[in-house]
Short mmCIF file of all heavy atoms in Angstrom, two decimals:
data_model
loop_
_atom_site.label_atom_id
_atom_site.label_comp_id
_atom_site.label_asym_id
_atom_site.label_seq_id
_atom_site.Cartn_x
_atom_site.Cartn_y
_atom_site.Cartn_z
N SER A 125 -5.27 29.73 -9.65
CA SER A 125 -4.13 30.20 -8.88
C SER A 125 -4.41 30.06 -7.41
O SER A 125 -5.56 29.99 -6.99
CB SER A 125 -3.86 31.67 -9.23
OG SER A 125 -4.96 32.48 -8.84
N PHE A 151 -5.56 19.46 -5.87
CA PHE A 151 -6.85 18.79 -6.04
C PHE A 151 -7.99 19.80 -5.97
O PHE A 151 -8.92 19.78 -6.80
CB PHE A 151 -7.00 17.72 -4.97
CG PHE A 151 -8.36 17.08 -4.92
CD1 PHE A 151 -8.91 16.48 -6.03
CD2 PHE A 151 -9.08 17.08 -3.73
CE1 PHE A 151 -10.18 15.89 -5.98
CE2 PHE A 151 -10.33 16.49 -3.67
CZ PHE A 151 -10.88 15.90 -4.79
N ALA A 153 -7.77 22.99 -6.65
CA ALA A 153 -7.70 23.83 -7.85
C ALA A 153 -8.37 23.16 -9.04
O ALA A 153 -9.10 23.79 -9.81
CB ALA A 153 -6.25 24.16 -8.17
N TYR A 176 -15.91 33.48 -9.26
CA TYR A 176 -16.51 32.22 -8.80
C TYR A 176 -16.63 32.19 -7.28
O TYR A 176 -17.65 31.76 -6.74
CB TYR A 176 -15.70 31.02 -9.29
CG TYR A 176 -16.24 29.70 -8.75
CD1 TYR A 176 -17.40 29.15 -9.30
CD2 TYR A 176 -15.63 29.05 -7.69
CE1 TYR A 176 -17.92 27.96 -8.80
CE2 TYR A 176 -16.13 27.86 -7.20
CZ TYR A 176 -17.28 27.31 -7.74
OH TYR A 176 -17.80 26.15 -7.24
N GLU A 200 -13.26 0.32 -7.80
CA GLU A 200 -13.51 -0.84 -8.66
C GLU A 200 -13.38 -2.10 -7.82
O GLU A 200 -12.72 -2.11 -6.78
CB GLU A 200 -12.51 -0.91 -9.81
CG GLU A 200 -12.59 0.21 -10.82
CD GLU A 200 -11.54 0.05 -11.90
OE1 GLU A 200 -10.34 0.11 -11.58
OE2 GLU A 200 -11.92 -0.15 -13.06
N SER A 222 -3.95 -17.30 12.37
CA SER A 222 -3.69 -16.69 13.67
C SER A 222 -4.97 -16.42 14.44
O SER A 222 -4.94 -16.32 15.67
CB SER A 222 -2.92 -15.37 13.48
OG SER A 222 -3.73 -14.40 12.85
N ASP A 321 -15.91 10.33 9.13
CA ASP A 321 -14.96 11.31 8.62
C ASP A 321 -13.58 10.95 9.13
O ASP A 321 -13.34 10.93 10.34
CB ASP A 321 -15.36 12.71 9.10
CG ASP A 321 -14.50 13.81 8.51
OD1 ASP A 321 -13.47 13.50 7.88
OD2 ASP A 321 -14.85 15.00 8.69
N GLY A 370 -0.90 -6.14 12.54
CA GLY A 370 -1.94 -6.00 11.53
C GLY A 370 -1.42 -5.40 10.25
O GLY A 370 -0.30 -4.87 10.19
N ARG A 379 2.14 5.14 -1.69
CA ARG A 379 3.06 4.16 -1.11
C ARG A 379 4.25 4.82 -0.43
O ARG A 379 4.63 4.44 0.69
CB ARG A 379 3.54 3.20 -2.20
CG ARG A 379 4.32 2.03 -1.63
CD ARG A 379 4.93 1.15 -2.70
NE ARG A 379 5.52 -0.02 -2.10
CZ ARG A 379 6.67 -0.04 -1.44
NH1 ARG A 379 7.37 1.09 -1.32
NH2 ARG A 379 7.13 -1.15 -0.90
N PHE A 398 1.46 -3.02 3.89
CA PHE A 398 2.38 -2.75 4.99
C PHE A 398 1.90 -3.49 6.23
O PHE A 398 0.71 -3.78 6.39
CB PHE A 398 2.44 -1.25 5.28
CG PHE A 398 3.00 -0.44 4.14
CD1 PHE A 398 2.18 -0.05 3.09
CD2 PHE A 398 4.34 -0.08 4.12
CE1 PHE A 398 2.69 0.69 2.02
CE2 PHE A 398 4.85 0.65 3.06
CZ PHE A 398 4.03 1.03 2.01
#
Side-chain angles (χ1 to χ4, degrees):
S125 63
F151 172 56
Y176 176 76
E200 294 179 296
S222 67
D321 185 350
R379 189 186 187 284
F398 296 83

